[in-house]
Amino acid sequence: QGGSGGVTFSLADTDGDISGVISGTGPVTKNGAGTLAFATGTTHTYTGQTTVNTGRLNVNGVTNAGSALVVESGGTLGGTGTVNGTVTVNSGGRVAPGTSPGILNSGSVTWNAGSNFDVELNGTTVGTQYDQLNVTGTVSLGGATLNVALGFAPTASNSFTIISNDVTEAVTGTFNGLAEGATLTVGSSVFQISYAAGTDLNDVVLTFLGDIETTVSLNGNDLQIEDTNGGTSADTLTISTDGTSVIITDPGRVLTTNVAGASGNLTNTVTVPLTSFTGGISVLTLGGDDSLTVSLASGNFTRTISY
């Protein structure tokens, strides 16, 4: 029972569950580094604001639509239940759906600059293998930081709907540094983000492009194309030229480059202007089942290729 005075839960280094119903008009506040859980099957009726100051609140039950929820710096909202009210995440606060992993349902959600959205990708099944925030209402990302923990080896074109947005409202804003179609690198795995995906073109989806297999860089005056995964996969490199650039392609693989003037970083095709290097082309694929095709279909090479 709550009342109008409100309830504060302080858990320093321990965790706790609330299985009873919290009612009344007062606020509910979570303090302390521990984790507080609103138990599964419990529908709370209180209408005061819910504030997560520090530690983690797992909403596994249901909260009232009249209770707005605010996550402050040092606080984390998680769980597998439903937050029917609005959610505001301030700088330093976090939303991390599930309890490793899971689906958290919410009303309209607003991330502010400096806040975080944490998702786990441990497989391709939503809820049991990867996290999702399922939103009924609007989504405003506000330049929040997207943090992805990858716990399995995805395959090309695997996609993950990390925010499911109802009806047709477009997502407002983007995650920090991630424009529509941008790539996100987690370890050596590369994902592409879209804020206009799904049936209604308003879900936030990560699509796996592949692991970084090959780096294209300069070694002295030479252009060096080098396997970066220890030769454990079968790279199928094709090198061609159009007379002004060298084009390196490996279908189904991801290439990375830091060569000035080059394009195609974190895609399967890197284009390097011939003016970016003065030497030859060196290919270091570390053996295995790798193959190299030198295509003359668009022009002849004027630089030496060593393999």
Side-chain angles (χ1 to χ4, degrees), residues 218 220-222 274-280 303:
L218 295 182
N221 295 325
D222 293 338
L274 288 170
T275 54
S276 295
F277 66 103
T278 60
R303 307 290 180 91

Side-chain angles (χ1 to χ4, degrees), residues 27-123:
V28 171
T29 304
K30 164 66 177 69
N31 292 329
T35 297
L36 176 68
F38 288 175
T40 302
T42 301
T43 299
H44 299 286
T45 59
Y46 70 93
T47 55
Q49 177 174 293
T50 306
T51 303
V52 186
N53 281 324
T54 50
R56 183 181 179 105
L57 173 63
N58 283 335
V59 177
N60 297 323
V62 179
T63 65
N64 192 290
S67 176
L69 193 149
V70 178
V71 185
E72 299 288 5
S73 180
T76 300
L77 170 65
T80 57
T82 300
V83 179
N84 275 314
T86 60
V87 176
T88 301
V89 192
N90 290 325
S91 179
R94 320 184 82 89
V95 174
T99 56
S100 186
I103 299 172
L104 177 65
N105 306 290
S106 78
S108 295
V109 59
T110 300
W111 280 273
N112 290 313
S115 59
N116 297 269
F117 184 44
D118 302 337
V119 294
E120 295 174 287
L121 305 181
N122 295 331

Side-chain angles (χ1 to χ4, degrees), residues 4-47:
S4 60
V7 179
T8 298
F9 298 95
S10 296
L11 291 84
D13 299 310
T14 59
D15 300 337
D17 293 339
I18 302 298
S19 57
V21 174
I22 304 173
S23 60
T25 58
V28 171
T29 304
K30 164 66 177 69
N31 292 329
T35 297
L36 176 68
F38 288 175
T40 302
T42 301
T43 299
H44 299 286
T45 59
Y46 70 93
T47 55

